[in-house]
Amino acid sequence: MTKKRIELGDTAKDSITGFSGVVIATTFWLHGCERLTLQPQKIEKDGKVRDSATFDVDQCELVKKAVARTPMAERLRALAGTGGPRPEPVR
């Protein structure tokens, strides 16, 4: 079974801590680590909003697709699968 790709604007959940929220950032690190930053949607009983938290993408599960769509998310989606760097110009 293939795991669905989690994108900006999706709702995701960390499988270890149970922390869930909307994906507001995706970061790629030097040695291949990909991390997701989740912004919780729930407000605590005392009225405070929890801080966002960052998790490895491999321990996150997709909860719901496309809660929010942003111009950057749409731009990244359009660029996906373009085949990498442009070919060298020919004269």
Side-chain angles (χ1 to χ4, degrees):
M1 182 170 95
T2 36
K3 192 174 179 180
K4 289 188 178 180
R5 177 125 178 99
I6 301 172
E7 301 174 321
L8 292 174
D10 293 344
T11 300
K13 177 181 176 183
D14 174 46
S15 60
I16 296 171
T17 64
F19 188 97
S20 66
V22 176
V23 179
I24 60 169
T26 301
T27 53
F28 299 92
W29 294 81
L30 181 63
H31 297 288
C33 180
E34 182 181 354
R35 296 178 57 88
L36 301 175
T37 301
L38 307 179
Q39 175 67 51
Q41 295 176 295
K42 294 183 180 178
I43 298 174
E44 298 294 324
K45 292 178 182 177
D46 58 3
K48 294 182 181 178
V49 178
R50 292 173 62 186
D51 290 334
S52 59
T54 304
F55 304 95
D56 285 333
V57 71
D58 293 332
Q59 70 188 46
C60 290
E61 303 167 349
L62 179 65
V63 174
K64 184 177 178 185
K65 290 297 285 180
V67 170
R69 286 288 181 230
T70 64
M72 180 54 78
E74 293 302 325
R75 186 170 171 210
L76 290 172
R77 196 167 286 101
L79 291 173
T82 58
R86 67 178 176 80
E88 292 298 316
V90 179
R91 292 184 185 220

